[in-house]
Amino acid sequence: NHARVPFLPARTRSLLTDEGRISRYSTGEVEVFDLERDPQELRNLANRPEGRELRSHLGERLADALLDYSDIARPGVLP
């Protein structure tokens, strides 16, 4: 007998703009891509010094969008 563990997919909140994409996962992971320089999303800038400004900018826009669309799962508060 094998114990069955339910599969619980990570919830994601993302914002896509011409300049970049930010995705926040319920696991705590964050992805940030500069789509002007990296349109194929090969280099995640979330934890790199050169991505700090883009992460902050897109993170603020994502938070605003979540409020605008009444999504209660704010960044940092994802279940």
Side-chain angles (χ1 to χ4, degrees), residues 5-75:
V5 177
F7 174 72
L8 300 173
R11 292 184 57 192
T12 307
R13 297 295 183 263
S14 295
L15 177 77
L16 177 65
T17 70
D18 288 338
E19 63 186 320
R21 174 177 71 84
I22 186 169
S23 294
R24 295 182 178 270
Y25 299 89
S26 58
T27 60
E29 181 183 1
V30 178
E31 293 180 332
V32 175
F33 296 96
D34 181 339
L35 297 180
E36 293 174 348
R37 294 189 176 115
D38 180 20
Q40 294 180 326
E41 299 183 7
L42 299 175
R43 184 175 166 120
N44 182 1
L45 299 174
N47 296 313
R48 297 179 179 265
E50 64 270 27
R52 189 174 302 142
E53 187 175 323
L54 184 61
R55 179 178 175 159
S56 176
H57 172 70
L58 292 177
E60 288 176 17
R61 291 191 57 192
L62 176 59
D64 289 343
L66 293 175
L67 285 174
D68 289 347
Y69 292 100
S70 299
D71 189 325
I72 60 170
R74 295 284 314 248

